[in-house]
Amino acid sequence: MGLDVVVEIIVNVLLLPLQAILIPIDLLLNNIPGLSDVPLAIGNILSFIGTIPQTLVNMSGINPTLWNVFFLTFIVYLSAAPVVNVLKKVWAWIRP
Amino acid sequence: MERSKRCFLFVLVFALSLTGSFTLSSNKAYAASEYDSVVEPVSSIYIQSQNASSEDYQQKDITTSYVSEVSSKNPTAAASFTSCVSDSSCHWIITQNTVDPSVTYDHIKKQTEIYYGITGTITFNSSSPNYAMVSTQNKIVIYMDRFGQTQIYYEPSAQTNVIIARINSVQNGTIDVSARPFVNTFPVVYPSGYQGALIPGALAQEPTDYAPRGSYHMEGLKLTGGWCVFDQPDCNLPIVNAPLILNWKIKDSDGNVITSATGQISEDRSVFTPELANFTYDFQQFGDYTIEAEWSVPIPYITPSDQTWNKTILKIRVDGSTYTSGFDQQDCDNKGVCSSKTVIECNSTTQTFYNYATCKYNELLNIGFLNPSINKFKNIFTAFIVPNNPSCSLALPNVAVTPSKNFPLSSYSAQMCSSSAQFRASFPIVPALLNFFFAISTFYLVARMINNLTDNGSHDVIVGAK
């Protein structure tokens, strides 16, 4: 399992509530013909943006492992912080 | 005491949430009238059996192919049934039947039954259990034997009373429906006050709109495709006593034709140009393309005036990925209009469990445009994890100035990469400083995370890292 899989899992979990909320809206929007072209167009732009990180690493000379560890830590930090805060609040509410 | 109250409240809220969820997810509401639950129409028909050796269930969807299934096994039965369908005085009904486990024959679990004849009216019977029935002459049963082979049982000219909708029993809140109507042309007499589901009416008449059906497989820049050319319902070939010609062309995003081809199917539909069923094309560059196809007949034949032959326009995305798409996957109709769904292939046998699960997850959310857009956006995050040997390639597209001349923007990418390599060689301190900055930043983030996990300020691993 590569680091990209770990990031993918974290991002999937983080965005799951938002995506679940959007499902009914998408079901309605699905009736509008031609709207499915929008994600394809977005995908085009994003696939170009996706090449930027490794090009930056290559051009700047940053160690790829160091870059990956930094980014993974950053993602874990972003995802862990709110979860820890919620758990703390729930525990504080239950605790006398 | 205070603590137990809060715990109780917490458990109560949790339990109420669960109850609410179960209530919302339970969508079966049974009617009160004695007949109202009898009819449970189906939109698809299946045949199912248990495998002779493994005892696993094997199933086949025959919703669109039931005529050809009968025809291949018993042409006499098929001819008899199709002549009834084309005769306005003859009525017919197709039902999906669950075979009673206590009388299982040849491991059959589900079978499709066809009844037809010139007499018969569907009525409801209030015996226990309630059911709807029809009295008619002919019967065809399509079933699957224990070896997965389709079998036909044909019983012509037998006056029979047939149950075409029936609830067997209600056990533990689950209704066991042994006969479900799929489509019907018999007249129906509903009981007074009936509020249940209606027995579905006849299928639409033979479609008057025809559009070529086909599929393709993309692998990198190579396209392999084929058109549906067989004289069977799935292919929906135009009905005409003439050879059929199929013209298809691939166009780029500007509408320029980059390749075209033609194939022909003989008048008796037995011979066709091989390229119709299997054609290939190698794209020169990534991009969005369309493949357009249209039926025609050779001179001196003419297109039937009561039919409309439409052009199918399938979208093709060439981005280096491997996928399969086509008429069905892009949700096309007989007018050739496709809703162009993004195609994701999920295969549990060739993919790892994680990849398969992710694929199914994305497939589930691939509706509308908000969730598919978010799915595309998520790729940005994974793109931040770079390989050990990161490439220097900004995928800049060439900009077309005129149709014949491209502005070579991509060449600037190579120039930029060589310049940066020279810069690093001249100033080695810059990459060293950048690496130091990333190392310190990573350490800082880890410290903040650990501090956040501990109590507020009293046990900080690194004081100040908030």
Side-chain angles (χ1 to χ4, degrees):
Chain A
M1 186 188 280
L3 290 178
D4 55 338
V5 174
V6 178
V7 171
E8 195 179 349
I9 291 170
I10 293 170
V11 172
N12 274 337
V13 171
L14 283 178
L15 290 177
L16 184 62
L18 173 67
Q19 294 200 281
I21 291 166
L22 291 176
I23 285 174
I25 302 168
D26 268 336
L27 284 171
L28 289 174
L29 292 174
N30 200 32
N31 297 315
I32 303 171
L35 213 59
S36 54
D37 283 349
V38 176
L40 293 176
I42 291 172
N44 256 345
I45 301 163
L46 295 183
S47 62
F48 167 68
I49 297 172
T51 61
I52 294 175
Q54 62 172 318
T55 306
L56 270 180
V57 171
N58 180 295
M59 289 170 63
S60 61
I62 300 166
N63 186 299
T65 309
L66 191 56
W67 167 279
N68 288 342
V69 169
F70 169 77
F71 185 71
L72 184 64
T73 313
F74 182 65
I75 289 285
V76 171
Y77 172 73
L78 282 183
S79 55
V83 174
V84 168
N85 284 336
V86 167
L87 287 176
K88 275 183 174 177
K89 279 181 180 155
V90 170
W91 176 243
W93 185 69
I94 296 170
R95 198 173 56 181
Chain B
M1 190 62 188
E2 184 68 18
R3 183 179 179 179
S4 63
K5 265 186 184 175
R6 286 187 177 183
C7 280
F8 174 72
L9 267 175
F10 183 78
V11 171
L12 189 66
V13 168
F14 185 70
L16 280 173
S17 307
L18 275 183
T19 311
S21 306
F22 280 122
T23 308
L24 285 172
S25 62
S26 172
N27 58 2
K28 287 226 169 192
Y30 300 118
S33 158
E34 60 178 327
Y35 302 104
D36 289 0
S37 297
V38 170
V39 176
E40 196 168 293
V42 290
S43 56
S44 306
I45 45 176
Y46 296 89
I47 48 176
Q48 188 188 63
S49 70
Q50 241 176 332
N51 188 276
S53 52
S54 65
E55 294 291 308
D56 290 337
Y57 284 93
Q58 46 199 0
Q59 181 168 289
K60 187 177 185 182
D61 185 344
I62 56 167
T63 308
T64 57
S65 62
Y66 62 90
V67 176
S68 56
E69 295 285 351
V70 177
S71 181
S72 62
K73 293 285 179 184
N74 192 330
T76 311
S80 171
F81 173 60
T82 49
S83 69
C84 173
V85 172
S86 57
D87 180 358
S88 59
S89 64
C90 189
H91 306 295
W92 48 283
I93 184 166
I94 300 174
T95 61
Q96 171 76 76
N97 295 57
T98 305
V99 178
D100 189 342
S102 63
V103 290
T104 298
Y105 169 70
D106 208 14
H107 288 55
I108 304 162
K109 298 299 171 191
K110 283 181 185 173
Q111 62 189 27
T112 295
E113 298 180 4
I114 302 171
Y115 301 100
Y116 59 98
I118 52 170
T119 60
T121 299
I122 294 174
T123 55
F124 285 71
N125 191 303
S126 62
S127 67
S128 181
N130 299 336
Y131 57 83
M133 59 164 288
V134 66
S135 178
T136 190
Q137 292 93 11
N138 305 290
K139 175 182 184 180
I140 299 172
V141 180
I142 311 169
Y143 65 97
M144 181 184 277
D145 66 18
R146 66 179 69 187
F147 305 105
Q149 298 297 312
T150 305
Q151 301 293 346
I152 304 295
Y153 171 74
Y154 176 44
E155 190 180 332
S157 305
Q159 187 73 29
T160 47
N161 290 325
V162 188
I163 292 170
I164 48 88
R166 175 181 192 149
I167 305 295
N168 258 2
S169 58
V170 181
Q171 289 178 341
N172 301 327
T174 306
I175 288 186
D176 174 20
V177 183
S178 61
R180 293 177 164 92
F182 170 60
V183 61
N184 165 59
T185 65
F186 282 102
V188 186
V189 178
Y190 289 102
S192 61
Y194 181 78
Q195 290 184 335
L198 299 179
I199 294 175
L203 292 170
Q205 293 301 306
E206 284 295 327
T208 53
D209 280 292
Y210 295 92
R213 299 184 178 193
S215 61
Y216 65 84
H217 180 75
M218 277 304 309
E219 192 164 353
L221 289 166
K222 190 176 184 67
L223 175 141
T224 312
W227 299 105
C228 205
V229 290
F230 302 103
D231 194 12
Q232 58 189 34
D234 290 352
C235 291
N236 195 32
L237 298 183
I239 299 168
V240 59
N241 292 323
L244 276 173
I245 292 177
L246 184 68
N247 297 297
W248 76 96
K249 53 187 88 167
I250 296 176
K251 291 183 174 179
D252 63 17
S253 54
D254 296 326
N256 303 314
V257 177
I258 55 174
T259 186
S260 62
T262 300
Q264 186 164 326
I265 307 175
S266 64
E267 191 170 343
D268 64 356
R269 307 290 181 259
S270 61
V271 183
F272 55 84
T273 315
E275 287 74 26
L276 271 177
N278 188 7
F279 62 90
T280 58
Y281 181 74
D282 291 304
F283 288 96
Q284 300 301 310
Q285 56 188 14
F286 293 161
D288 289 327
Y289 300 86
T290 54
I291 183 164
E292 301 182 2
E294 195 171 19
W295 293 114
S296 62
V297 285
I299 297 170
Y301 297 98
I302 54 167
T303 309
S305 58
D306 59 341
Q307 296 180 18
T308 309
W309 294 3
N310 301 296
K311 185 188 286 181
T312 294
I313 304 176
L314 297 172
K315 296 190 175 178
I316 306 172
R317 162 139 307 198
V318 184
D319 59 2
S321 60
T322 301
Y323 67 94
T324 301
S325 186
F327 193 91
D328 293 332
Q329 290 85 351
Q330 295 191 17
D331 232 7
C332 306
D333 59 20
N334 284 326
K335 295 187 185 301
V337 179
C338 308
S339 69
S340 184
K341 291 191 292 188
T342 307
V343 176
I344 304 167
E345 267 194 325
C346 303
N347 191 332
S348 59
T349 53
T350 57
Q351 290 176 312
T352 61
F353 172 74
Y354 172 74
N355 288 338
Y356 178 68
T358 312
C359 182
K360 292 301 280 184
Y361 171 76
N362 288 332
E363 193 180 59
L364 190 72
L365 296 173
N366 193 33
I367 318 161
F369 87 99
L370 295 172
N371 271 317
S373 302
I374 290 173
N375 279 342
K376 301 273 182 194
F377 179 70
K378 284 192 289 195
N379 293 337
I380 289 283
F381 288 90
T382 49
F384 270 91
I385 299 295
V386 301
N388 284 333
N389 296 308
S391 63
C392 181
S393 59
L394 277 177
L396 294 171
N398 285 329
V399 177
V401 178
T402 66
S404 58
K405 187 172 173 62
N406 278 351
F407 181 64
L409 199 58
S410 56
S411 63
Y412 286 89
S413 170
Q415 194 179 342
M416 197 168 56
C417 291
S418 61
S419 300
S420 68
Q422 283 174 0
F423 177 78
R424 284 200 307 274
S426 308
F427 302 96
I429 187 71
V430 174
L433 283 174
L434 282 170
N435 280 320
F436 179 72
F437 169 77
F438 272 93
I440 286 291
S441 301
T442 308
F443 184 70
Y444 175 75
L445 283 176
V446 172
R448 274 197 69 155
M449 266 197 299
I450 295 171
N451 282 352
N452 199 25
L453 280 169
T454 55
D455 286 344
N456 301 325
S458 56
H459 300 97
D460 283 359
V461 175
I462 297 177
V463 177
K466 288 290 174 194

